[in-house]
Amino acid sequence: MSERIGEIIEANTNGFTVHCYKLYESPPLGSIIQSGIPTIFGVISEITTEPLDPSRPIIAIGQNEPTEDEIYRSNPQLNNLLCTRLTALTIGYSNNENFSHGLPPHPPRIHSFVYLSDNHYIESLAKSFDFLHLLLSSGTNDEVVSACLRQISQKLPDGYPFLIESGQALATELIGQFPRLNAILRRLS
Amino acid sequence: MIVENNMAQSNEQSLLGHVVSGSLRDGIEIRMGNQVSVEDIKEGTYVTIHGQKKSFFGLITNVKLMTTDPNLQFSYSTTDNPFISEVISSSMTYGSLSVLPMLTLPAVLGADQTVEPAKTVPSHFSQVFQASERDVEVVFGKEDQTHFFIGNPLDMETKVCINLDELIKRSSAVFGKSGTGKTFLTRILLAGLIQSDLASSLVFDMHNEYGSTGQDRDRGRRVSGLKQIFENKVSVFTLDPENSKRRQAKYDFEVQIGYNEIEPEDIQLLRETLNLSDIAADAAYTLERVLGPKKWLQRFLEMEIDEVYEKAVAWNIHAQSARSLHNRLSRFKRIGFMKPTAIDDSVKRMLDLLGKGKHVILEFGRYGDNLTAYMLAANLLTRRIHDRYVYMKEEAEGTTKANEPRPLVICIEEAHRFLNPAVAHQTIFGNIARELRKYNVTLMIVDQRPSAIDSEVMSQIGTKVACQLDNDRDIDATLAGTSGSRELRSVLSKLDSKQQALIFGHAVPLPVLIRTREYGSDGSYADLTRPSWHTTDFGVETEEELEERLKELF
């Protein structure tokens, strides 16, 4: 299994929020991550870095520092006061190697470890485009959809046919919404 | 013959798409599958649709480009960006076919189960296939005595056969612009009649193209006439023996027409060609009355012009009209085949031959270009033959069917001259067309201006063969009263000018677009004289030959 990236700190059946172990070290937008038993798969739809304590707003402190990195070196406490969180939309789950598209019966537990999905799972996921409907109807930014498809295609041995097929699937999903489809396709090309 | 028409054959055929919408009246819409290119589909192609309970046989009448989103046409990215273009063209665009369901095919074709006109449509998402050769054969019948092979559907090698029995029951017509192959088609149809022996035919061969030799102007070669192919079954009569000799064309008999055979009705028919006024043409009836039937024309033409003037008053005819009538009728003297008295009763001879099952071709020689001569001879001979048939038919009534006169098909070119609305009620051709098959005489009309033919006559035509036509009125006239005429219209206007024809009407189960069969090569003549169905198991053609072989044996 791939590298562990964090733990679930908030979850529902539609998605979950992950606290990353390291500041600024989250997988890119659109990546597929997995967690829990049964394994639940999600697409990273938002990445946030913010203060751990919402009551302590961040102020600018680098006026006399020559570089941005110097700010962190001079203020090592920042690494503990800030955190990187990511939000994932659930697209499927697997139980004993049987992959199911759609929402799981239960959300993952809090503090479940979260991993970046490996290629084996991504290839099974890419066999169907049912996850596109979940993403498009979740209200998330269409950029997430294009980012996710790009991420998957990079993991596959031959990504171009996958992109064409996903474009066709999008055309069926977004019937009557040509400008939206066109915008996503432009980001895929 | 039992042919299983089941779905097993589907795999051999190419799937075109699925039924998505439509109606019985306007045809059904087929969404084409992505694996088929619209560029490979031609209008007029046959398809079979496998519905849930029945198979349908239909004709593609339109090919369309469709999109799932109308906004697509306004986007540049679909052409600028190869990725988007590939995605869109394989998902949001598709070909659509309009199909007119014509027939329903039963699941199993037996002796008592045949194809029927489609009275419903296939259900949603029924699979649509390009019709296989066997489907076409099932629909049009196998070549035999009554089914004559006339051509092939476009893009197929299957034989399309027309039902000659149906063809001769009602009048038929061959329409087409000049140079589109009307004569070729007519010659093939006549060859079919001769081959089948179902009817006798009388051909008014205006341009000497049917009897001895014909021209294939496109290939610059001469083709054999019907006399050359069917030596024993065809008799050639000529009105112009000199011309026949010059052309080295063999003829069997010379035809002369006596003045005594001409009746006032013939003059009525010629009113337009002779440029006669109504009054002048009507004067012929008065002349017949005062000068005596059969003798009137001879006596009238013998008169000097002054005498005509004098007597006109006594006959109660307008003097100028009498004069112009005399003047115009004097043109008859210049027509070589018109004699005061004919040497021979040509009509009787023709009738004898027709009765024996022979086919008569009347060549006009030089007179083919003389419209007066053509119309006069055609009308006069046909009238007498028709009278004779009416007599024979009436005589046969009440006796056995065997005594009935043998069906006769009279083939005329430039038919609108005889059948235009002004004269159709007076000419014998108009009568024959209207009376239909009551007297076993029907017409085969060959014409380039169907719009000039009386609509009443047009409505009685059973089978129409249309070559290319591009005048709107002609197309309208040709298709008037045909079901699905709107769809056929576009097929008709896009016909090739060569070797293509649309056949519809009684002799075919559905309108069919054909590539005319080959005529002109040695093989094609052999196919006509010895069709595949004609040979018996003993390898000989007819019963007579079989008897001869038997005699030889013993």
Side-chain angles (χ1 to χ4, degrees), chain A residues 97-122:
Chain A
E97 296 295 311
N98 294 325
F99 194 93
S100 305
H101 288 270
L103 299 184
H106 301 285
R109 295 196 316 169
I110 301 297
H111 289 299
S112 296
F113 294 152
V114 178
Y115 305 87
L116 201 57
S117 286
D118 60 24
N119 290 1
H120 162 70
Y121 283 111
I122 290 179

Side-chain angles (χ1 to χ4, degrees), chain B residues 541-552:
Chain B
E541 281 185 25
T542 57
E543 281 182 22
E544 291 100 64
E545 277 184 49
L546 204 61
E547 269 173 36
E548 272 177 34
R549 288 267 301 262
L550 277 171
K551 275 181 200 164
E552 278 170 27

Side-chain angles (χ1 to χ4, degrees), chain B residues 138-155:
Chain B
V138 163
V139 168
F140 290 99
K142 242 181 141 68
E143 195 180 3
D144 59 21
Q145 191 180 6
T146 52
H147 290 90
F148 176 64
F149 160 43
I150 178 115
N152 313 96
L154 303 187
D155 305 328

Side-chain angles (χ1 to χ4, degrees), chain A residues 82-148:
Chain A
L82 297 175
C83 70
T84 296
R85 292 192 181 101
L86 57 87
T87 313
L89 291 166
T90 306
I91 54 169
Y93 58 98
S94 103
N95 205 347
N96 303 329
E97 296 295 311
N98 294 325
F99 194 93
S100 305
H101 288 270
L103 299 184
H106 301 285
R109 295 196 316 169
I110 301 297
H111 289 299
S112 296
F113 294 152
V114 178
Y115 305 87
L116 201 57
S117 286
D118 60 24
N119 290 1
H120 162 70
Y121 283 111
I122 290 179
E123 279 174 32
S124 350
L125 179 81
K127 282 179 188 153
S128 161
F129 292 98
D130 290 352
F131 67 92
L132 284 178
H133 180 75
L134 274 175
L135 287 184
L136 291 167
S137 59
S138 68
T140 186
N141 195 315
D142 286 345
E143 285 289 324
V144 175
V145 179
S146 51
C148 170

Side-chain angles (χ1 to χ4, degrees), chain A residues 160 163-164 167-168 171-172 174-179 181-182 185-186 188-189, chain B residues 34 68-69 71-72 74-75 77-78 81-84 86-88 90-92:
Chain A
Y160 189 74
L163 284 182
I164 293 286
Q168 292 165 345
T172 318
L174 296 176
I175 207 155
Q177 303 180 59
F178 183 65
L181 170 71
N182 201 21
L185 291 181
R186 266 203 311 269
L188 288 181
S189 60
Chain B
N34 283 336
T68 53
D69 191 325
N71 290 319
L72 204 59
F74 308 117
S75 166
S77 58
T78 50
N81 185 322
F83 170 74
I84 298 185
E86 191 175 343
V87 170
I88 297 290
S90 56
S91 57
M92 297 182 72

